[in-house]
Amino acid sequence: MQDRRNFLKAAALGAAAFSLDGIKPAQAAGRVTKGKPIVISTWDFGLPSNKAAWEVLRRGGRALDAVEAGVRIPEGDPDIQTVGLGGLPDRDGHVTLDACIMDELGNCGAVTALEHIVHAISVARAVMEKTPHVMLTGEGALQFALANGFKKENLLTPASEKAWKEWLKKSEYKPIMNIENKTYNGNGATAFNPLQLPGNVYNHDTIGMVAMDAQGNLSGACTTSGMAYKLRGRVGDSPIIGAGLYVDNEVGAATSTGVGEEVIRIVGSHLVVELMRQGYTPEAACKEAVARIVKKSPQKAKEIQVGFLALNKKGEYGAYCLQEGFSYAVCDSDTHNELIAGKHYF
Ligand code: ASP
């Protein structure tokens, strides 16, 4: 176990310890290729996120570094109101972030209800690498982040504050189904600008990303500001290992998005990986997980969105969701980064 002195020493190393891609090209060149690198991630913002992840993978870097680099893109984008900076707040006006990360060895780290830090995923990685714990929450997570060199920032952008104040007029909590679905423009779409979507009423969307590197190793990352206008202290599926993300290097990796309460109930991402272990294809495994949600909550399932995304050890991938409109991005070469419409149950 790390004692306090070591902990502070690690803290003093600060940002230097958070290199996103420690692999130098020379090292990468010496690697034995065991797998074909691939990265997949949720929603339209998966495209720019995959691009950042691919930069790591194409140089022979580790899947863990790739997924961290990838999900930092929407985390740092103030115009994406469902992840990181600029995320829609809880009902009391606090932007609270949930994130988790998992590597090929089964190491994992998570933060829940983290405030004031843009890159929750990197804090989750620091929890994984620098503490004997898996999950830190709220004040403790913030204290840990600050001690490790992360900068305290205001995450509530004017646009998200305005949306929250508008919401306060009725204060009605209702996970609106994502209407960006309706404007989805097909496979190969490259445009991404959620704020141009009509009505701009979407109020959730997490980035979940899983990747395989040239070594054939799998890792995953998941980060979100959670459901908009949630109760203070509410934590969804995204930072919960097994629910929002799961990686088993022998079998595959899976992640989820949508109404987290329903995903937690079936321990969704772990379920998807275990189904793949039994021989299900990634898509069939995701479909079965979606069907379990429908079975458990038949009425509610019609009104909400949940989507699963999975990758197996062979590099095969697939997804399934409740409602039309879930998109995911797949990147496996310098020239192929594609947006695909997830098949849907209803
Ligand atoms: N799963 C996230 C949560 O429940 C939200 C989302 O992915 O849309 O917090």
Side-chain angles (χ1 to χ4, degrees):
M1 253 198 6
Q2 237 178 352
D3 62 29
R4 189 174 151 74
R5 199 173 306 148
N6 278 338
F7 175 84
L8 291 176
K9 210 159 102 192
L13 288 172
F18 296 121
S19 138
L20 287 178
D21 179 9
I23 314 275
K24 295 192 184 78
Q27 276 174 283
R31 283 171 171 251
V32 180
T33 301
K34 291 184 184 157
K36 190 174 174 337
I38 179 168
V39 55
I40 60 176
S41 59
T42 54
W43 301 112
D44 302 21
F45 47 51
L47 286 173
S49 307
N50 281 359
K51 198 164 174 270
W54 184 253
E55 279 307 309
V56 178
L57 295 175
R58 69 192 289 272
R59 292 195 288 141
R62 200 177 161 201
L64 181 71
D65 294 320
V67 294
E68 182 189 9
V71 304
R72 282 172 61 104
I73 298 298
E75 279 188 339
D77 186 336
D79 292 336
I80 294 174
Q81 291 177 291
T82 56
V83 180
L85 175 66
L88 289 167
D90 65 16
R91 58 181 305 154
D92 298 338
H94 306 276
V95 181
T96 67
L97 306 182
D98 295 337
C100 73
I101 193 159
M102 190 163 188
D103 74 8
E104 74 277 12
L105 300 170
N107 297 312
C108 46
V111 288
T112 71
L114 174 66
E115 294 180 49
H116 308 301
I117 306 290
V118 174
H119 294 298
I121 198 66
S122 297
V123 184
R125 181 167 178 176
V127 171
M128 172 174 94
E129 292 178 340
K130 297 181 174 189
T131 80
H133 308 305
V134 166
M135 187 182 282
L136 292 179
T137 191
E139 271 301 310
L142 176 61
Q143 190 184 325
F144 170 79
L146 295 175
N148 279 274
F150 288 86
K151 206 170 113 215
K152 189 169 181 176
E153 287 177 56
N154 174 22
L155 304 186
L156 187 63
T157 54
S160 288
E161 188 172 12
K162 192 166 164 239
W164 167 60
K165 287 195 169 142
E166 195 54 39
W167 175 83
L168 277 176
K169 290 179 187 160
K170 282 193 183 158
S171 298
E172 189 190 3
Y173 179 77
K174 193 162 183 263
I176 299 165
M177 216 132 56
N178 296 341
I179 61 124
E180 73 264 51
N181 310 345
K182 308 298 175 206
T183 65
Y184 175 73
N185 56 357
N187 292 357
T190 50
F192 168 65
N193 188 349
L195 297 183
Q196 281 175 359
L197 297 171
N200 187 26
V201 298
Y202 70 102
N203 63 0
H204 62 85
D205 278 2
T206 294
I207 178 112
M209 174 180 276
V210 293
M212 181 163 64
D213 59 31
Q215 293 273 290
N217 285 325
L218 298 166
S219 289
C222 188
T223 177
T224 189
S225 52
M227 304 301 292
Y229 321 128
K230 60 197 174 186
L231 278 178
R232 180 136 178 84
R234 180 266 186 190
V235 173
D237 58 324
S238 307
I240 299 180
I241 297 295
L245 176 73
Y246 198 70
V247 177
D248 184 321
N249 208 41
E250 285 180 5
V251 178
T255 188
S256 64
T257 182
V259 175
E261 283 75 4
E262 298 307 311
V263 177
I264 292 171
R265 264 191 258 281
I266 63 156
V267 200
S269 292
H270 184 258
L271 172 64
V272 170
V273 171
E274 287 306 304
L275 288 167
M276 290 195 291
R277 191 193 304 280
Q278 290 170 27
Y280 282 63
T281 64
E283 184 183 302
C286 292
K287 186 177 182 183
E288 173 61 20
V290 164
R292 297 260 179 114
I293 290 178
V294 177
K295 202 169 168 198
K296 276 207 159 46
S297 318
Q299 275 317 310
K300 201 192 281 175
K302 288 184 191 148
E303 289 153 27
I304 60 163
Q305 178 65 298
V306 170
F308 291 102
L309 180 59
L311 175 68
N312 69 15
K313 259 316 240 196
K314 289 188 252 173
E316 297 163 341
Y317 57 85
Y320 220 84
C321 57
L322 280 170
Q323 320 288 343
E324 185 182 5
F326 168 58
S327 56
Y328 64 99
V330 177
C331 177
D332 58 5
S333 76
D334 287 350
T335 51
H336 181 233
N337 189 16
E338 180 187 15
L339 198 58
I340 297 176
K343 293 186 185 160
H344 46 99
Y345 190 94
F346 290 114

